[in-house]
Amino acid sequence: MVPIHPCIGIVGSAGAYGRWLHRFFSERMGLPVLGHDPADASSDPIEALLEHADVLLFSVPIGATEAVIRDWTARSGGREAGRLWLDVTSIKSAPVAALLASCAEVVGLHPLTAPPKSPTLKGRVLAVCRARLDDWAPWLGGLLEALEAECVEVDPERHDRAMALVQALGHACHLAQAGVLNAQAPQAGTIAELLPLRTAAFEMDVAIAARILEQNPAIYEDIQFCNPHVPGVLRMMSERIEGIARLVEQGDATARVRFRDEVLVASRAAFGTPAREAGNHTFERIGFLLADLADACVLSVHLPEDRPGSLRALLQVFEDQGVNIASLHSSRTRSGELHFRFGFDRGTDPGRLQGIMAALQETGLGRAPTER
C-alpha cells in the first residue's frame, strides 16, 4: 500500500539537484527526506535509505548513474518491492534499464533545466518515462502537479535520440563557436570588444556559450560522451559545416545557387511554416526583451511582501511622482530573490528615481534587490 506521506530518499543529496530536491520535498510537499552522498560525511547512511525510503530518487552524475543504481539494487536485495524508484538523469535508456532490474516501480525523469532558483519547475520542461508504474501512479501524478513543470511523456530511447539534438548538438555548436571567437580574438577583438557591434542573435549565442562555460563542466562532458546517439549527430553537423565552407570558398554564381537551394530553401521547407513562424516570433520577443534590458535608465525593486496589491501600490508611487514607465519585467537575482525591473525613457531625471527608491525603502513597500 502506498503511504499517504511517503519518506523520500535522495541518492546524491549533496549535489546541486539533490539539494534542490531536498528543499522541494521537505518544504513544498511537507514530506520526510533522507539523503546520502559520499561527498557529505554528515549525510544519512545507505542502509537508512534502503530501509526507510518509500521513494528512492537517484540524482548522481550521468556517467555514474547506471552503476550506482545497480549497486543500490544489489544492496536492497528485494526490499524495494512495492516502492517507487526514480532518477533525474539527462540520459534515460541506461538508467531506466538499471532501475528496471530492481523490483520497484520505476519512472525516469529528466528536468531540462539546471536546478532553478524558484521553488518549483514552473515554466520548465520535465521529460517523464513511465517504465513500470502501477500502485504509485496517483502519487506520481501529485508529484508532477506539485513540480508545476511542462511534463512530456516519452520513452527512454526516443528521449536519448532527442537529447542528442536538443542538448548535445546545441552545446557542441556553442562550444565550437566559443573556440572560434577565442582563436579570432587577436585579429577581430575579444568578446567584450565584439559585443558593442552585436546583433540580437550574436548576443544570444554569446549568452548561451557563457552559460555553458559557467556551469559544472562534468555535466556537459557527460551529455556528449554518455549518449550513444551523439557521435553520429556531431559528424552530421561537421559535414554540413564543411559543405557550407566549400561552397563559400568556391564563391562563384554556381556555389551561390547551391547555397540557396541546398542550405536555405531546403532547410526552410524542412522546418515547415508553423515552426518557422513560431520560432521567428520567439526570436522577436527575446529581441524586445534584450532591448529593454539594455536601457541605461532603470530601477530594480524587490517587494518584501508577496501579496495581492503589492505591485499596484508600487506602481501608484510612480504615478504620484509623475514618472512614466517604458518597460516592466519580473525576474530573479542570482540569489533567487524575485524583483521587478523598470525601464524609463531617455531624459528621465535620475534624481527623481533615487527619490522614489528612498521613499519605497522608507515605507517598506520596496527595496533594492539583494545580489549574492
Side-chain angles (χ1 to χ4, degrees):
M1 179 179 293
V2 174
I4 298 175
H5 299 290
C7 177
I8 309 296
I10 299 175
V11 183
S13 54
Y17 244 114
R19 297 193 302 273
W20 186 90
L21 288 163
H22 193 292
R23 290 193 300 271
F24 172 81
F25 283 116
S26 61
E27 298 175 9
R28 193 78 178 182
M29 297 192 70
L31 299 175
V33 182
L34 298 173
H36 174 79
D37 197 307
D40 180 8
S42 64
S43 65
D44 299 301
I46 293 176
E47 186 59 29
L49 275 70
L50 291 174
E51 187 66 28
H52 301 293
D54 303 296
V55 177
L56 193 64
L57 189 149
F58 294 88
S59 178
V60 298
I62 301 169
T65 301
E66 182 180 3
V68 170
I69 292 172
R70 295 194 183 281
D71 177 57
W72 280 65
T73 300
R75 292 171 182 267
S76 183
R79 285 176 290 176
E80 71 279 6
R83 299 179 180 181
L84 176 64
W85 280 19
L86 311 167
D87 83 292
V88 290
T89 316
S90 298
I91 307 299
K92 292 270 69 77
S93 292
V96 168
L99 288 170
L100 286 171
S102 74
C103 298
E105 295 190 26
V106 171
V107 178
L109 302 174
H110 176 200
L112 274 81
T113 175
K117 297 180 177 69
S118 54
T120 70
L121 295 177
K122 185 176 181 179
R124 275 80 167 187
V125 173
L126 177 68
V128 181
C129 302
R130 298 174 186 259
R132 184 168 61 216
L133 191 64
D134 188 13
D135 294 340
W136 283 90
W139 186 87
L140 178 73
L143 169 62
L144 298 182
E145 183 177 347
L147 284 168
E148 298 183 330
E150 179 184 333
C151 296
V152 179
E153 305 278 345
V154 62
D155 67 76
E157 173 72 10
R158 181 171 177 273
H159 168 276
D160 289 357
R161 287 186 178 276
M163 288 308 105
L165 300 170
V166 172
Q167 289 189 308
L169 176 61
H171 296 167
C173 288
H174 281 97
L175 289 170
Q177 184 181 25
V180 172
L181 290 173
N182 290 334
Q184 289 287 311
Q187 294 79 33
T190 65
I191 291 175
E193 292 168 330
L194 290 174
L195 279 173
L197 296 169
R198 67 191 179 278
T199 61
F202 182 75
E203 186 173 2
M204 293 179 205
D205 283 341
V206 170
I208 295 171
R211 170 69 173 179
I212 293 170
L213 296 171
E214 186 70 10
Q215 301 298 303
N216 182 355
I219 295 174
Y220 293 93
E221 177 183 319
D222 280 352
I223 286 174
Q224 298 294 333
F225 283 81
C226 295
N227 186 336
H229 304 293
V230 170
V233 167
L234 296 186
R235 280 195 296 270
M236 184 177 295
M237 184 64 186
S238 176
E239 291 166 3
R240 290 278 180 170
I241 292 291
E242 182 59 33
I244 292 173
R246 284 197 299 269
L247 291 175
V248 174
E249 287 173 350
Q250 183 177 329
D252 58 16
T254 300
R256 285 176 174 269
V257 170
R258 288 187 59 193
F259 178 81
R260 285 195 297 268
D261 292 345
E262 297 173 12
V263 179
L264 295 176
V265 176
S267 295
R268 178 184 173 86
F271 252 65
T273 300
R276 292 200 313 269
E277 291 180 347
N280 186 55
H281 180 57
T282 296
F283 182 91
E284 289 178 343
R285 292 169 64 196
I286 296 174
F288 286 131
L289 174 61
L290 291 174
D292 284 346
L293 295 180
D295 282 342
C297 189
V298 297
L299 189 67
S300 292
V301 181
H302 170 65
L303 301 183
E305 293 189 26
D306 186 8
R307 58 177 176 77
S310 292
L311 179 58
R312 184 175 64 248
L314 186 150
L315 294 175
Q316 185 64 48
V317 175
F318 287 100
E319 183 177 342
D320 293 341
Q321 296 294 322
V323 175
N324 187 50
I325 298 170
S327 65
L328 167 59
H329 299 280
S330 63
S331 61
R332 292 186 181 273
T333 64
R334 293 184 181 90
S335 61
E337 189 175 79
L338 182 66
H339 77 284
F340 295 90
R341 185 182 188 279
F342 299 91
F344 306 94
D345 295 328
R346 291 181 183 273
T348 301
D349 183 3
R352 296 183 68 183
L353 299 183
Q354 293 174 3
I356 289 174
M357 194 72 249
L360 291 173
Q361 291 183 266
E362 183 178 348
T363 60
L365 180 61
R367 61 173 173 78
T370 302
E371 288 283 6
R372 289 192 297 271

